[in-house]
């Protein structure tokens, strides 16, 4: 076969084997930095050059951006036809197929996709509809209800099973939650709504119950490739099984050591069960690393050697030089922030751009001290893993006006839109919504509703909806029209409206990339920007990255700092509930460490201790993370971990038992208000913060993300737990 690429010269032997094995099932175990994406790109190019029609190739990734970039790279390497392959996420594929076959499932083709906050709003309304008897504990809040129903769906277990494992405090409400779950399903069906989880559930149902559709899709997608297979859940694994049932030409690529998304239903065991699902599976391991130095890889290999379940692999690299990872006892949280800022400045002075450095942490609030010190020193940074652009009230308000244009039955968006108007509350908005859905009217005739008669706000809404309903209106023009109408409401509702106005301008720019309004709205629901940094136009500048480990996966930097490597922090105190959770924490450290190309700093504030109520969760251990303590001392520089120090006769002063009185006493809240040290709170003037410590005379010290440390008196201040 004549090809334009000399595959033997550009791929290592394992990559070449994965690229050229095109028939039959293949499982590729791809270690961090081993050229996984490169392998997928070249395999796509090889398939097209081998004569496979590009539209017969299905490339599934966890972001549509990733799929698009792979197809662009393959086209640049070999043949422009690579862009014609079918690429996207499981959810976008499901959405595309369901738009065509919705009628088979009893839905109209114009169904609306709900995001998480829409889901929570519906659940809250359903809770209010049924009478819930007060019991020993309060009923779960709507965010918790949404988490229960979503995780139940993604893990395919019953509400009862899930709550026994993770929500035992609410066990007495199982019957009521089961009732709400049924009402929620009925509500969605009646209002032509699907949430994010429904897309996968209904897609699997379509494949499993309709042989004709399954065979048609099997013929359409005769070569399937799946990226990040360790992050799939059981439903996604079933979808791959049904799609690949006929031809069996399925290649999945993943790394069981990087599975860190169990909270959303991901099951790394799918990696181990794939050979059982497809007989005669060929297993190929990619172990040569092209990112990190060997000392960093030695640490990560040793870390994963301790794991309970894993595919045996040993990452190696030709980069034999480099410093050992450095373990630094920074004593306290503020000193940790000072050390990092000082070190960042030193690298800057040596000519390293800020964008080549990152600070990674287990939980978003762990970075507060660092953020404050960076701001104080004028070091520019961007943070990932906290702010969610699409969950902001002003973004959802504006989009609600557009969603009722494409689906008149979208009662959630109607409710949100109507409640922005003067003299229209929950009851009246519900009455108007019910009237609209019962009439054969257009959306812009909302002002004819009897219960909204003579309401000037309703008349103004009708005018803008009529303008938005014009034939062939562009998404950009629609957002501009809605923005002009919404701007006075924005200024009335929010004190920080100038910042929010900038967000809405970014929405206009995003809409300008689309030709159809429905596609724009669907894409925002299916693949939303993860944070404001993803849509800000000035991010080409030089910024230091602060990120949770979950948000850092797939990225890399020359210098990486991992902070708060303490028992109870990383691993989290909550992880001690199960062996599986602890193992996932180990994989998270692995993911964080393998982001580093040249230098890795492991930081722990050895003089800090956990709040007393968390000590019981971690067996009263404090100090350096047990994962790091278990490493041999010769692979680290700086202060050596506990295992090495024990051999040398040195006693780790930070691995101390809890005081005897703590062991005997029942853990109690530390303040009369019920607030505890470590709680995330909000203050009317200072915004969001974390309680650092309680002091005498009912005073509390809080670290606010925008205002730093503040000493407040509990009697004269208002703190609400987030």
């Amino acid at each position: 076969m004549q090809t334009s690429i000399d595959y033997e010269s550009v791929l290592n032997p394992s990559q070449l084997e994965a690229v050229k094995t095109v028939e039959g099932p293949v499982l590729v175990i791809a270690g961090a930095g081993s050229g996984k994406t490169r392998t997928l790109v070249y395999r796509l190019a090889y398939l097209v050059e081998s004569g496979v029609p590009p539209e017969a190739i299905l490339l599934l990734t966890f972001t549509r951006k990733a799929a698009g970039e792979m197809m662009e790279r393959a086209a640049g390497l070999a043949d422009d036809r690579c862009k014609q392959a079918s690429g996207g996420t499981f959810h976008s594929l499901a959405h595309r197929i369901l738009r065509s076959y919705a009628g088979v499932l009893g839905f109209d083709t114009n169904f609306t996709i709900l995001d998480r906050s829409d889901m929570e709003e519906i659940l809250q309304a359903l809770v209010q509809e049924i009478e819930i008897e007060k019991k020993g504990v309060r009923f779960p809040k709507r965010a918790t209800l949404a988490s229960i129903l979503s995780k139940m769906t993604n893990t395919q277990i019953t509400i009862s099973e899930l709550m026994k494992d993770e929500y035992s405090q609410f066990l007495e409400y199982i019957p009521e939650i089961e009732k709400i779950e049924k009402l929620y399903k009925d509500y969605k069906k009646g209002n032509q709504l699907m949430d994010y989880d429904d897309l996968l559930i209904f897609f699997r149902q379509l494949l499993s119950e309709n042989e004709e559709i399954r065979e048609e899709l099997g013929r359409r997608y005769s070569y399937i490739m799946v990226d990040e297979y360790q992050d799939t859940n059981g439903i996604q694994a079933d979808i791959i099984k049904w799609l690949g049932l006929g031809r069996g030409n399925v290649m999945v690529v993943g790394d069981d050591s990087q599975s860190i998304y169990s909270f959303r239903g991901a099951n790394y065991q799918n990696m181990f069960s794939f050979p059982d699902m497809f007989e005669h599976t060929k297993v190929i391991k990619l172990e040569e690393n092209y990112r990190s130095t060997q000392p960093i890889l030695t640490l990560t290999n040793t870390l994963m050697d301790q794991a309970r379940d894993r595919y045996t692999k040993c990452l190696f690299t030709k980069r034999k030089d480099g410093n050992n990872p450095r373990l630094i006892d920074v004593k306290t949280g503020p000193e940790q922030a000072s050390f990092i800022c000082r070190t960042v400045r030193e690298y800057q002075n040596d000519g390293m751009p800020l964008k080549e450095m990152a600070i990674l942490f287990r939980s978003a609030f762990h970075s507060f001290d660092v953020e404050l010190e960076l701001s104080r020193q004028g070091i520019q940074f961007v943070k990932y893993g906290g702010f969610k652009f699409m969950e902001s009230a002003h973004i959802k308000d504006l989009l609600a006006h557009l969603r009722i244009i494409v689906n008149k039955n979208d009662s959630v968006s109607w409710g949100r839109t109507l409640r922005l108007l003067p003299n229209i509350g929950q009851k009246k908005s519900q009455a108007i919504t019910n009237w609209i859905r019962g009439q054969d009217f257009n959306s812009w005739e909302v002002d004819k509703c009897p219960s909204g008669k003579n309401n000037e706000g309703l008349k103004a809404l009708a005018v803008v909806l009529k303008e938005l309903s014009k034939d062939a209106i562009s998404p950009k023009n629609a957002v501009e029209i809605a923005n002009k109408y919404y701007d006075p409401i924005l200024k009335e509702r929010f004190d920080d409206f100038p910042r929010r106005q900038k967000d809405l301008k970014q929405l206009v720019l995003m809409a300008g990339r689309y030709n159809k309004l429905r596609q724009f709205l669907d894409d925002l629901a299916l693949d939303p920007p993860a944070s404001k940094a993803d849509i800000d136009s000035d991010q080409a500048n030089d910024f230091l990255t602060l990120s949770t480990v979950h948000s850092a996966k797939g990225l890399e930097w020359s210098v990486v700092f991992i902070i708060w490597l303490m028992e109870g922090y990383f691993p989290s105190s909550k992880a001690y509930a199960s062996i599986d959770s602890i193992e996932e924490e180990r994989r998270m450290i692995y993911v964080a460490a393998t982001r580093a190309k040249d230098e890795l700093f492991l930081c722990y504030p050895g003089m800090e201790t956990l709040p007393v109520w968390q000590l019981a969760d971690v067996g009263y251990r404090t100090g350096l993370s047990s994962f790091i303590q278990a490493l041999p001392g010769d692979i680290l520089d700086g202060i050596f971990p506990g295992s090495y120090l024990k051999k040398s006769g040195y006693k780790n002063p930070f691995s101390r038992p809890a005081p005897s009185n703590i062991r005997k006493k029942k853990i109690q809240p530390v303040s009369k208000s019920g607030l505890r040290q470590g709680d995330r709170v909000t203050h009317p003037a200072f915004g969001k913060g974390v309680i650092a410590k309680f002091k005498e005379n009912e005073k509390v010290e809080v670290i606010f993300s925008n205002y730093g440390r503040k000493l407040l008196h509990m009697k004269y201040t208002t703190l609400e737990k987030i």
Side-chain angles (χ1 to χ4, degrees):
M1 181 186 74
Q2 189 70 31
T3 63
S4 61
I5 301 173
D6 183 2
Y7 293 92
E8 284 76 7
S9 66
V10 295
L11 299 170
N12 68 38
S14 297
Q15 292 172 337
L16 184 65
E17 184 182 11
V19 166
K20 289 197 168 184
T21 306
V22 295
E23 299 296 326
V26 183
L27 171 63
V28 178
I29 312 298
S34 62
K36 166 181 68 68
T37 302
R38 181 181 181 84
T39 303
L40 286 166
V41 167
Y42 276 92
R43 191 173 194 265
L44 173 57
Y46 185 79
L47 285 169
V48 173
E49 287 203 307
S50 301
V52 175
E55 58 273 12
I57 303 169
L58 175 63
L59 173 60
L60 291 174
T61 64
F62 272 81
T63 68
R64 285 198 283 179
K65 181 181 178 183
E69 288 175 349
M70 288 186 201
M71 291 188 290
E72 285 284 347
R73 283 177 58 183
L77 289 168
D79 191 320
D80 204 53
R81 290 180 302 146
C82 291
K83 295 178 185 177
Q84 299 170 22
S86 298
T89 66
F90 278 91
H91 290 87
S92 64
L93 173 67
H95 169 254
R96 190 161 65 241
I97 301 301
L98 290 173
R99 285 288 181 203
S100 300
Y101 296 104
V104 178
L105 300 165
F107 279 87
D108 295 335
T109 55
N110 66 341
F111 64 84
T112 294
I113 305 168
L114 298 171
D115 63 18
R116 179 57 175 256
S117 56
D118 293 330
M119 177 185 184
E120 291 180 13
E121 191 173 326
I122 294 170
L123 291 173
Q124 181 67 21
L126 294 175
V127 168
Q128 293 171 357
E129 282 184 17
I130 64 175
E131 292 185 8
I132 297 178
E133 179 186 349
K134 288 186 178 180
K135 301 182 182 180
V137 295
R138 63 168 176 78
F139 192 71
K141 294 181 179 179
R142 63 185 187 180
T144 304
L145 281 176
S147 295
I148 291 171
L149 298 189
S150 182
K151 193 158 189 180
M152 174 208 71
T153 301
N154 283 293
T155 55
Q156 303 175 89
I157 61 176
T158 65
I159 288 175
S160 178
E161 289 171 324
L162 176 63
M163 293 187 65
K164 285 174 184 175
D165 288 341
E166 299 186 30
Y167 300 93
S168 57
Q169 68 272 35
F170 297 123
L171 285 178
E172 53 196 314
Y173 287 115
I174 287 176
E176 288 85 349
I177 294 173
E178 289 175 337
K179 183 176 181 180
I180 288 170
E181 191 254 343
K182 184 181 183 307
L183 290 172
Y184 177 57
K185 280 186 177 179
D186 294 342
Y187 182 91
K188 287 184 293 182
K189 193 70 175 284
N191 289 276
Q192 295 298 309
L193 304 170
M194 288 190 197
D195 63 30
Y196 209 55
D197 301 323
D198 289 330
L199 293 173
L200 298 184
I201 288 291
F202 287 128
F203 186 28
R204 181 179 66 174
Q205 181 182 337
L206 197 68
L207 291 169
S208 63
E209 295 180 358
N210 297 271
E211 185 177 356
E212 186 177 339
I213 294 174
R214 182 170 68 241
E215 289 178 352
E216 193 277 323
L217 293 176
R219 288 190 296 271
R220 185 188 306 178
Y221 304 121
S222 52
Y223 291 87
I224 300 170
M225 292 188 285
V226 185
D227 191 16
E228 305 284 11
Y229 193 66
Q230 79 280 349
D231 293 332
T232 56
N233 59 30
I235 306 167
Q236 290 163 323
D238 284 347
I239 288 170
I240 293 302
K241 177 186 72 174
W242 290 116
L243 284 175
L245 197 62
R247 300 285 294 271
N249 296 330
V250 180
M251 184 178 90
V252 299
V253 182
D255 181 5
D256 51 294
S257 297
Q258 295 189 70
S259 180
I260 59 173
Y261 295 108
S262 66
F263 66 90
R264 65 185 187 199
N267 185 0
Y268 75 103
Q269 292 291 340
N270 287 346
M271 294 283 292
F272 301 101
S273 60
F274 183 82
D276 299 326
M277 187 182 297
F278 291 96
E279 290 185 4
H280 311 299
T281 293
K282 187 172 189 176
V283 179
I284 302 171
K285 295 181 182 179
L286 305 184
E287 297 176 293
E288 183 173 357
N289 181 282
Y290 295 91
R291 175 187 300 152
S292 307
T293 62
Q294 190 59 52
I296 293 173
L297 297 180
T298 299
L299 180 144
T300 57
N301 286 335
T302 308
L303 179 70
M304 292 312 298
D305 282 345
Q306 305 163 13
R308 183 187 57 177
D309 297 324
R310 69 189 189 282
Y311 273 110
T312 302
K313 60 182 178 297
C314 184
L315 294 178
F316 67 93
T317 180
K318 294 174 182 175
R319 299 184 61 197
K320 302 301 180 184
D321 57 346
N323 296 317
N324 279 352
R326 275 165 274 189
L327 178 64
I328 313 293
D329 178 4
V330 290
K331 307 301 183 185
T332 67
E335 288 180 71
Q336 177 174 248
S338 296
F339 164 76
I340 288 174
C341 290
R342 187 168 62 249
T343 309
V344 166
R345 283 295 192 202
E346 290 173 1
Y347 278 113
Q348 265 192 302
N349 292 338
D350 288 339
M352 180 175 288
L354 285 174
K355 62 185 178 183
E356 282 296 326
M357 293 178 270
I359 303 164
L360 307 183
F361 32 86
R362 171 64 180 82
S363 300
F365 66 92
H366 288 172
S367 67
F368 277 5
D369 278 337
V370 177
E371 291 177 56
L372 294 171
E373 187 62 19
L374 289 169
S375 298
R376 192 183 70 80
Q377 294 198 24
I379 299 174
Q380 294 189 96
F381 67 91
V382 61
K383 182 177 179 181
Y384 294 87
F387 175 84
K388 298 294 183 184
F389 181 72
M390 288 302 297
E391 294 175 8
S392 302
H394 56 298
I395 298 296
K396 294 188 67 61
D397 284 348
L398 188 136
L399 292 178
H401 294 80
L402 306 181
R403 288 170 61 171
I404 56 181
I405 297 300
V406 298
N407 179 8
K408 197 194 82 167
N409 292 318
D410 186 349
S411 54
V412 175
S413 295
W414 270 117
R416 189 175 195 99
T417 302
L418 292 167
R419 288 194 296 275
L420 294 173
L421 304 179
N423 305 316
I424 295 183
Q426 180 71 39
K427 189 174 181 180
K428 184 173 282 188
S429 70
Q430 188 62 56
I432 295 172
T433 300
N434 292 340
W435 179 83
I436 291 167
R437 296 184 66 248
Q439 306 294 321
D440 187 20
F441 282 176
N442 293 304
S443 300
W444 67 79
E445 296 177 283
V446 61
D447 58 332
K448 295 181 180 179
C449 177
S451 60
K453 195 174 182 181
N454 299 322
N455 185 297
E456 293 301 318
L458 210 56
K459 291 179 181 177
L461 175 62
V463 171
V464 76
L465 291 181
K466 186 169 186 178
E467 197 171 356
L468 289 170
S469 300
K470 290 178 181 176
D471 290 340
I473 188 171
S474 72
K476 182 180 179 181
N477 192 21
V479 174
E480 288 172 335
I481 292 169
N483 199 2
K484 183 178 179 181
Y485 163 81
Y486 178 65
D487 194 58
I489 301 173
L490 178 79
K491 292 175 180 176
E492 182 67 29
R493 293 192 74 201
F494 302 106
D495 290 340
D496 61 345
F497 63 85
R499 177 183 67 80
R500 295 175 187 261
Q501 284 174 323
K502 291 180 181 178
D503 291 345
L504 294 173
K505 287 178 182 177
Q506 294 298 330
L507 204 61
V508 173
L509 295 177
M510 294 167 70
R513 303 172 195 152
Y514 291 84
N515 295 320
K516 294 183 179 179
L517 186 58
R518 178 186 295 283
Q519 185 184 5
F520 170 60
L521 296 174
D522 285 345
D523 278 7
L524 286 179
L526 289 166
D527 196 15
S531 71
K532 189 174 183 292
D534 287 348
I535 48 88
D536 276 349
S537 57
D538 61 353
Q539 291 307 308
N541 295 331
D542 194 23
F543 284 84
L544 175 70
T545 297
L546 275 63
S547 178
T548 61
V549 178
H550 287 108
S551 295
K553 189 169 175 292
L555 303 175
E556 60 182 43
W557 297 270
S558 291
V559 179
V560 169
F561 301 84
I562 307 176
I563 63 175
W564 282 105
L565 277 166
M566 301 270 290
E567 289 293 292
Y569 291 90
F570 204 168
S572 164
S573 61
K574 295 179 181 178
Y576 287 85
S578 72
I579 295 295
D580 286 341
S581 297
I582 284 291
E583 286 297 302
E584 181 156 316
E585 297 285 314
R586 183 195 310 280
R587 296 194 295 270
M588 287 183 66
I589 294 181
Y590 172 86
V591 168
T594 52
R595 301 309 95 201
K597 294 190 287 186
D598 304 309
E599 302 285 354
L600 176 62
F601 291 87
L602 309 176
C603 303
Y604 73 106
M607 293 178 66
E608 299 278 8
T609 57
L610 279 173
V612 292
W613 66 89
Q614 288 183 322
L615 289 172
D617 295 332
V618 299
Y620 302 105
R621 288 172 288 177
T622 58
L624 179 62
S625 169
S626 55
F627 298 129
I628 308 302
Q629 287 195 49
L631 298 174
D634 58 355
I635 66 174
L636 288 162
D637 288 339
I639 297 177
F640 292 99
S643 58
Y644 181 87
L645 296 172
K646 287 173 187 173
K647 292 177 185 177
S648 63
Y650 181 86
K651 185 177 180 181
N652 186 344
F654 307 119
S655 295
R656 55 186 182 274
S660 58
N661 63 326
I662 292 181
R663 291 178 183 277
K664 295 175 183 176
K665 289 182 180 179
K666 184 178 179 181
I667 304 302
Q668 298 290 343
V670 258
S671 79
K672 294 177 182 178
S673 66
L675 294 172
R676 298 170 170 175
Q677 186 179 359
D679 276 351
R680 283 174 285 175
V681 294
T682 183
H683 184 275
F686 301 130
K688 293 180 180 179
V690 174
I691 294 178
K693 61 183 72 173
F694 289 93
K695 298 198 171 187
E696 295 179 356
N697 302 320
E698 297 188 64
K699 291 182 180 178
V700 59
E701 187 178 281
V702 183
I703 302 173
F704 292 101
S705 55
N706 294 325
Y707 292 89
R709 290 178 184 265
K710 298 288 182 183
L711 187 63
L712 307 173
H713 198 296
M714 292 298 291
K715 275 189 176 180
Y716 308 111
T717 193
T718 301
L719 289 176
E720 292 185 7
K721 185 175 179 181
I722 299 176

